[in-house]
Each structure stands twice: as C-alpha cells, then as structure tokens.
C-alpha cells in the first residue's frame, strides 16, 4: 500500500468551516464543506474522500480534502472494501504508517456512498470514536439523499399524473385518427411544444397519422417524408432519440434523420410500445431550439408506455380481417424463426405433419345411422271371427312356444249354434229317409239339400270353435299385444291381436339421413353397437334400401341389413348405432364434406 501524501492541510477556523457549510448553495459545495468539517472535527486527518453514487452502481468523488488536487487514489481499496461489506472498516499499513477509516452512507437499505479518511495513528478506542463521529455527521448527507429522493418521487408523480391525463384524453376517442389528433393537441399545449406528430407502425415503416393543430397534411410532402424518416429512426432503434444532444452515439442513439429534419429546431421522438413491440412514435418539436431536458424525456416515455396498449387496441379494432390475418401470419413466422422458441417450432412441425397426414392419408368412410333390431319374420295374429275375449294370459315381451295359447275367444254361442245345426241336420236326415221310403223323390231331394246346408253350417261352427283358441304360430317373442285389460271386450274379425317374431332370425333397420344415402349400396358391410351390448360390435351386411320416412324433422331412409351372427341373445326393438363402410376417403374429406355440401346447397338456394 502506498504511503500517505505529503500535502499538509492548511488549518481553517471552525467558524469559517461552519459558515461555508451553512451557506453552501449547491450540492457540490455542500459535500466539500461537509467533508472539510468532518476532517477538522476528527483531527489529524491527512486526506479525505467522499464518494457518492452517480447511477447504475457507479460511485464518483463528490469531495476531496484538503484540496481538489490531492491524490487520494490510495484510498480506493478501503472504499471498495467498505462498499462491498456495507459496514465501517479500518485498514492499517506497515508500522502504523497508514490508517484508513471508511464508513458507508446507507439510507433505507440502499448504499448512497462512502466516507474514507486517512488519519494519524491512534488507539483503537480513538478510531472507534472516529467512526462514531462520521456516523453522526452522515445524518446531514442522509437528509440530502432523502430530499433528493423526495424530489425524484415528486417528479415521477408529476410525470405519472400527466401520463394519466393524456391517457384519459385518448380513451375518450373511438377512432384512431381522432385519438391521434386529440393526443397531439393535448401534448403540444401541455409541454409548450410548437408541434407534436403522432405516427404508427405500418408494415415496418412509420406513417404519420396526425399533426397537432392541423386538420390536414400532405402525405407526400417533403416535410412529412423527413418526419417519417425521423420516426423510422426511433422505431428501428426501439428507443427515444433526441436532437440536439451532447451525448455520443452509443449513449444517445443514432440521430442522423433527426438532425436532417430538425434544422434549427429541437426534436425528440419517443416510442409507443406494447408487449415489448414498438407500434408508434410521438415526435415533439420546439422551434426556438431549446433542447429537451432529461426529465421531460422521461415524462414523454411514461406517456408512450401508457398510450401504447390503447393505441394498439384502436389499430386492431379498425383493421380488416385480411390485415389482422397478415399480422398473425407475420408474428407466427417471426416466432418460428426465433431460435429461443424451440417448443413453438416443434409444435408447428407436429401440426404441419398432422395436417399433411389428414389431407394425404385415406381412411374408411363410414355412414352412421340410428338402428333398431326387428324380427326377420314378424307374424301377425288376428281375431278369427267376431266375438268376445275370454282369456288373455300372454302379453308383449313374453316368450312363447309353437302352439301355445295366446288368447281365447268366448265360444259359448258357438257351442249353442253347433247343437242347433246338429239337430237340424238330424231332422233333415229323418225327412230324407221318410221321403225315400215313400218314394217321394222331390221331397227327398229337398231334404237332402237342407241336410247338406245344415252340415255346412255345422262345419263352419266347428271351424270357429277350433280357432277360438289363438295360438303362437312358432317359437318366438310377442312383440306387440296386451289384452289383459280387455277381457270381455268385443273384437271384430281380422283385428290385430298380437305380433310374434322368431328368436333366431333378426334384421337391422338403419335410418340413414338423405345426405348420406347416395353412398350406401346393397352388399356393403358395417358394424353395429347396441345400447344393451355396448362392448360388443356386431357385423352386418346391407340387404335392401327401402323408402324414406319423415322422422323428427328429418328425411330418413330405411336400410335393411342382416347380422352375420345369430348367437347373440337379441330382442326385437333393441336400438343402437350402426356404421356402414362405404369406401375410402381422405380424413380431410371425411371431416369437412358435410360442411361443403351445406355451403353448396345454400349457394344454390340463394344465387339467382
């Protein structure tokens, strides 16, 4: 570590130091007088350094004691250690030749600077007293820091209030052009600007939308072209651009177009941003040439940050569908080219492969239809003659055997008729014999005819008696018919009493929509899933295409099919969904053909 400097401090009276401290009218004089006062109170100080934060974590000398030309570079290690450890530190050189006392200046957990003193050798207790003096004296600087912080917060609050006022003016306008003109007029009057221009990004180029206090401007004029070039400069750099500026290009940005546009004016262009993207530019002008202050630029940027999302919403609201689609495609292409988004690239690749597969790969096209199971032979059992129901032990849903009684008609009148016709036959037979014995041929022929008539009537009655008991024609299940509540009721001859279907022969009726019937042909196969056998798909083959019927507001064709299996315990009336395989088509056609058919039909309906 280097030795202490040879400069000797010139003694100054304490009253003079306090007078300079109290009368300091700027921050630099205040810091220098404060450091001199601290060094005089500590005593035996050979050199002193006051470091303050300039911004961005950079600390610069705000005061050097005893003179501004004193070399205090050897105090840098002590200052660096103090700032890194955030506490007061002591450093000693060889044999006490150098004693460096450093103390951080901290307010609300933030380091604002440090005080570093090169003091004469003294006991540890005296060095601790030096740290305490610096700690008590730092309160003056802390008040400066707090005052500066309050001023910064007041400026930030003023900027926020102005930005919110401008946002309120913009929100009152529904159209983009009206919004731009209202904002430009308000900003020009609020910040004492001679002119404010409002531009938006159109396909990567700035386009002027409004000029303050101007209802019309010539879009192709030299002035507008130069102004849009200046706006492009801010858009391309994605930052604010100021002219004139005393900063270099690295700090202040490139301002060539602004220089050409400004001439003798002061110009500031601020970006309108939304979601990290520049969507527009606000350009402020002052003809007097008075440059824009950094605080003003911060206020402009706050306004741009708040206005950006609102302006973007107005742009999107007034764009046509094609423009929005182009933006979406452009954004997608940009994301696809971005190497930082591998997941998006992978997702787009997978979607593209799936779309290609949907268009190029063929699959079985199946026509779906509601289905019902019916008996292949469905026999009707009707009343054989007029009569009354006497017995009806069977009703719909019951299994019956061949010859089993389904119902019985009342046969008491028939029995009486049989006795009557039997008696008449015997009477006519006796008359016939008497006529033969008396050789009365005419009477014999009459009696013989009457006897034949009686026998016919008797045979008819016997036939009715034989058919009074209604029996099942074969083994099966009763599909319809329930006479249990109609005992004693009269029935007419030929009235339907029961319908019986066999248990081993079924057919499937598929109700196909007329939009799909053109694809169905006899002989095509398919599969059927019934509600009662959801886990078992039954194969069938189309046998016949019947006529259409209107059901539930639709035109449905009855398509008959036969099942390939007969070992399934089916019942007539079971319902399900059947699918007929009609051929191979691309999956894209399968999923979209109904939509295109509907569009063609609507076009045919509406076009002249």
């Amino acid at each position: 570590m280097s030795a202490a400097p040879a400069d000797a401090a010139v003694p100054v009276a304490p009253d003079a130091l306090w007078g300079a401290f109290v009368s300091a009218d700027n921050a630099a004089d205040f810091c220098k007088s404060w450091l001199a006062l601290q060094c005089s109170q500590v005593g035996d100080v050979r050199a002193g350094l006051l470091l303050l934060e300039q911004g961005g974590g950079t600390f610069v000398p705000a005061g050097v004691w005893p003179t501004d030309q004193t070399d205090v570079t050897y105090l840098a290690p002590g200052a660096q250690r103090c700032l890194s450890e955030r506490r007061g530190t002591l450093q000693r050189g060889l044999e006490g030749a150098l004693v460096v006392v450093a103390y951080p200046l901290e307010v609300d957990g933030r380091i604002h600077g440090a005080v570093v003193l090169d003091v004469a050798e003294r006991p540890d207790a005296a060095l601790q007293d030096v740290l305490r003096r610096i700690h008590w004296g730092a309160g003056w600087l802390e008040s400066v820091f707090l005052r500066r912080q309050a001023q910064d917060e007041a400026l930030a609050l003023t900027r926020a209030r102005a930005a919110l006022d401008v946002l309120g003016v913009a929100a009152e306008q529904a159209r983009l052009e009206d919004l731009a003109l209202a904002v430009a007029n308000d900003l020009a009057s609020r910040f004492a600007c001679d002119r404010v221009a409002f531009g938006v990004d159109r396909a990567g180029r700035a386009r002027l939308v409004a000029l303050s206090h101007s209802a019309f401007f010539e879009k192709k004029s030299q002035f507008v072209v130069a102004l849009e070039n200046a706006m492009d400069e801010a858009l391309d750099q994605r930052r604010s651009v100021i002219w004139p500026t005393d900063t270099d290009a690295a700090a202040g940005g490139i301002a060539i177009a602004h220089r050409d546009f400004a001439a003798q004016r002061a110009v500031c262009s601020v970006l309108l941003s939304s979601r990290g993207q520049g969507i527009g530019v606000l350009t402020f002008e002052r003809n007097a040439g008075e440059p824009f202050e950094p605080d003003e630029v911060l206020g402009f940027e706050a306004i741009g940050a708040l206005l950006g999302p609102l302006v973007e919403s107005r742009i999107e609201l007034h764009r046509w569908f094609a423009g929005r689609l182009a933006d979406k495609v452009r954004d997608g292409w940009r994301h696809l080219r971005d190497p930082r988004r591998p997941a998006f690239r992978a997702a787009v690749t997978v979607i593209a492969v799936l779309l290609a597969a949907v268009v190029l790969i063929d699959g079985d096209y199946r026509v779906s239809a509601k289905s019902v199971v019916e008996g292949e032979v469905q026999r009707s059992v009707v009343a054989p003659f007029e009569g009354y129901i006497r017995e009806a032990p069977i009703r719909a849903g019951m299994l019956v055997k061949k010859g089993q009684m389904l119902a019985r008609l009342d046969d008491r009148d028939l029995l009486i008729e049989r006795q009557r016709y039997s008696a008449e036959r015997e009477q006519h037979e006796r008359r016939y014999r008497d006529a033969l014995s008396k050789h009365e041929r005419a009477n014999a022929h009459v009696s013989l005819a009457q006897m034949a008539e009686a026998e016919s009537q008797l045979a008819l009655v016997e036939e009715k008696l034989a058919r009074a008991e209604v029996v099942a024609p074969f083994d099966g299940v009763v599909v319809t018919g329930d006479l249990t509540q109609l005992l004693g009721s009269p029935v007419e001859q030929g009235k339907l009493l029961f319908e019986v279907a066999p248990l081993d022969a079924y057919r499937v009726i598929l109700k196909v929509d007329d939009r799909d019937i053109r694809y169905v042909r006899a002989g095509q196969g398919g599969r059927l899933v019934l509600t009662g056998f959801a886990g078992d798909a039954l194969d069938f083959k189309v046998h016949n295409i019947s006529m259409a019927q209107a059901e539930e507001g639709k035109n449905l064709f009855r398509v008959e099919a036969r099942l390939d299996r007969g070992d399934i315990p089916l019942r007539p009336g079971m319902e399900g969904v059947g699918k007929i395989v009609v051929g191979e088509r691309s999956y894209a056609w399968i999923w979209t053909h109904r939509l295109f058919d509907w569009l063609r039909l609507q076009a045919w309906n509406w076009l002249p």
Side-chain angles (χ1 to χ4, degrees):
M1 186 176 294
S2 60
D7 299 345
V10 177
V12 181
D15 293 341
L17 293 176
W18 276 104
F21 177 70
V22 173
S23 61
D25 56 356
N26 55 62
D29 294 341
F30 182 86
C31 291
K32 290 179 181 178
S33 59
W34 178 88
L35 180 62
L37 187 61
Q38 291 297 315
C39 292
S40 66
Q41 290 182 352
V42 170
D44 294 332
V45 178
R46 287 174 288 193
L49 172 65
L50 173 61
L51 294 175
L52 294 181
E53 184 185 17
Q54 187 180 23
T58 302
F59 294 89
V60 297
V64 178
W65 191 86
T67 65
D68 293 340
Q69 290 75 31
T70 303
D71 184 13
V72 291
T73 55
Y74 69 96
L75 299 179
Q80 185 175 4
R81 178 185 173 188
C82 169
L83 292 173
S84 61
E85 297 182 2
R86 304 171 69 95
R87 63 182 182 86
T89 60
L90 298 174
Q91 284 184 301
R92 282 190 170 88
L94 297 176
E95 298 179 356
L98 180 66
V99 179
V100 177
V101 179
Y103 191 82
L105 302 175
E106 183 176 2
V107 178
D108 295 334
R110 177 187 173 188
I111 297 295
H112 291 270
V115 180
V116 187
L117 302 180
D118 177 9
V119 300
E121 176 65 27
R122 63 191 70 188
D124 291 343
L127 293 177
Q128 293 295 328
D129 183 66
V130 171
L131 290 175
R132 282 193 292 270
R133 286 180 177 273
I134 296 175
H135 175 75
W136 283 102
W140 292 98
L141 293 179
E142 291 179 1
S143 65
V144 174
F145 300 149
L146 292 175
R147 190 181 306 114
R148 182 185 302 173
Q149 182 178 354
Q151 292 175 351
D152 293 341
E153 292 177 352
L155 288 175
L157 183 60
T158 302
R159 290 195 294 267
R161 186 182 297 111
L164 289 175
D165 291 341
V166 176
L167 184 64
V169 172
E172 294 177 354
Q173 308 300 325
R175 299 178 64 251
L176 176 63
E177 292 77 8
D178 297 339
L179 180 150
L181 184 59
V183 168
N185 292 337
D186 184 80
L187 291 177
S189 60
R190 186 181 298 272
F191 295 102
C193 295
D194 294 291
R195 184 165 46 224
V196 175
F198 191 109
V200 296
D201 182 14
R202 296 280 173 80
R205 294 295 305 275
R207 291 292 179 262
L208 183 63
V209 178
L211 283 173
S212 60
H213 309 299
S214 299
F216 174 78
F217 57 88
E218 183 60 45
K219 296 182 179 180
K220 300 297 182 180
S221 66
Q222 185 177 359
F223 168 78
V224 172
V225 172
L227 177 57
E228 289 178 346
N229 289 337
M231 290 181 173
D232 281 335
E233 200 168 51
L235 273 177
D236 294 340
Q237 299 179 79
R238 296 185 181 180
R239 59 174 302 168
S240 301
V241 180
I242 309 170
W243 182 265
T245 178
D246 52 1
T247 59
D248 56 8
I254 300 174
I256 298 175
H258 282 72
R259 180 194 62 193
D260 297 340
F261 170 72
Q264 301 300 322
R265 300 187 298 271
V267 180
C268 175
S269 293
V270 176
L271 200 66
L272 298 175
S273 60
S274 175
R275 294 179 293 181
Q277 300 293 328
I279 62 169
V281 178
L282 286 173
T283 300
F284 301 82
E285 300 178 44
R286 284 178 180 163
N287 294 332
E290 181 181 351
F292 291 95
E293 298 295 332
D295 289 339
E296 290 182 298
V297 177
L298 290 176
F300 298 159
E301 291 176 346
I303 293 172
L306 282 181
L307 276 179
L310 180 61
V311 173
E312 184 183 30
S313 67
R314 293 295 188 272
I315 293 174
E316 291 294 330
L317 185 63
H318 291 86
R319 295 197 68 184
W320 290 92
F321 174 77
R324 298 183 187 181
L325 181 61
D327 285 345
K328 296 297 183 182
V329 172
R330 196 160 40 244
D331 292 342
W333 178 248
R334 184 174 63 253
H335 295 329
L336 187 62
R337 295 173 58 189
D338 191 350
R340 297 172 299 177
R341 307 192 67 174
F344 181 77
R345 290 183 171 186
V348 170
T349 302
V350 171
I351 293 174
V353 171
L354 290 177
L355 289 177
V358 166
V359 173
L360 300 177
I361 297 179
D362 293 341
D364 289 336
Y365 174 47
R366 300 182 295 179
V367 174
S368 298
K370 291 184 178 180
S371 305
V372 62
V373 175
E374 294 182 357
E376 186 173 0
V377 178
Q378 194 157 297
R379 184 71 60 82
S380 298
V381 180
V382 299
F385 50 85
E386 293 183 359
Y388 298 90
I389 298 174
R390 182 176 179 180
E391 295 181 40
I394 301 299
R395 58 181 178 271
M398 290 186 174
L399 299 178
V400 294
K401 297 293 184 179
K402 181 178 180 180
Q404 181 177 348
M405 184 185 69
L406 303 178
R408 183 190 298 274
L409 299 181
D410 193 350
D411 57 355
R412 288 175 293 182
D413 291 342
L414 294 176
L415 292 175
I416 294 173
E417 287 185 10
R418 185 176 64 176
Q419 292 178 357
R420 180 166 65 85
Y421 287 125
S422 179
E424 287 181 1
R425 185 184 63 82
E426 292 178 357
Q427 182 179 2
H428 293 312
E429 185 179 3
R430 286 194 301 269
R431 290 177 181 175
Y432 172 72
R433 291 175 182 173
D434 290 341
L436 285 178
S437 63
K438 295 178 180 179
H439 300 283
E440 297 176 355
R441 298 179 60 87
N443 292 334
H445 285 296
V446 172
S447 298
L448 182 61
Q450 291 176 345
M451 184 178 64
E453 180 183 2
E455 287 179 350
S456 299
Q457 293 293 338
L458 182 60
L460 179 60
V461 172
E462 292 289 349
E463 179 66 22
K464 288 183 178 181
L465 286 173
R467 298 172 59 186
E469 185 176 287
V470 181
V471 298
F474 46 73
D475 295 347
V477 60
V478 178
V479 178
T480 60
D482 186 2
L483 304 179
T484 56
Q485 303 297 322
L486 300 176
L487 297 179
S489 299
V491 293
E492 297 177 355
Q493 182 177 1
K495 181 179 179 180
L496 179 64
L497 301 180
F498 300 96
E499 286 185 341
V500 183
L503 295 174
D504 56 353
Y506 296 97
R507 65 178 179 180
V508 178
I509 303 299
L510 298 100
K511 301 177 182 179
V512 180
D513 196 300
D514 59 353
R515 295 176 297 179
D516 298 322
I517 194 62
R518 56 178 171 169
Y519 306 113
V520 180
R521 299 289 184 274
Q524 293 173 339
R527 309 195 78 185
L528 169 68
V529 174
L530 297 173
T531 305
F533 297 93
D536 193 2
L538 307 177
D539 295 329
F540 64 81
K541 183 170 292 186
V542 176
H543 177 63
N544 183 41
I545 300 175
S546 184
M547 300 301 293
Q549 296 178 352
E551 294 184 17
E552 299 178 358
K554 295 181 180 180
N555 195 31
L556 303 178
F557 282 81
R558 287 173 57 90
V559 177
E560 300 179 7
R562 292 178 179 175
L563 296 173
D564 294 344
R565 294 175 56 184
D567 58 340
I568 304 298
L570 302 178
R571 287 291 187 92
M574 284 185 169
E575 295 184 348
V577 177
K579 294 186 178 182
I580 306 171
V581 180
V582 299
E584 290 189 351
R585 303 286 193 280
S586 68
Y587 286 104
W589 183 91
I590 292 173
W591 294 333
T592 61
H593 76 282
R594 282 199 172 185
L595 173 61
F596 285 106
D597 289 344
W598 181 84
L599 292 176
R600 293 190 191 99
L601 183 60
Q602 295 303 315
W604 173 258
N605 185 30
W606 288 101
L607 290 179

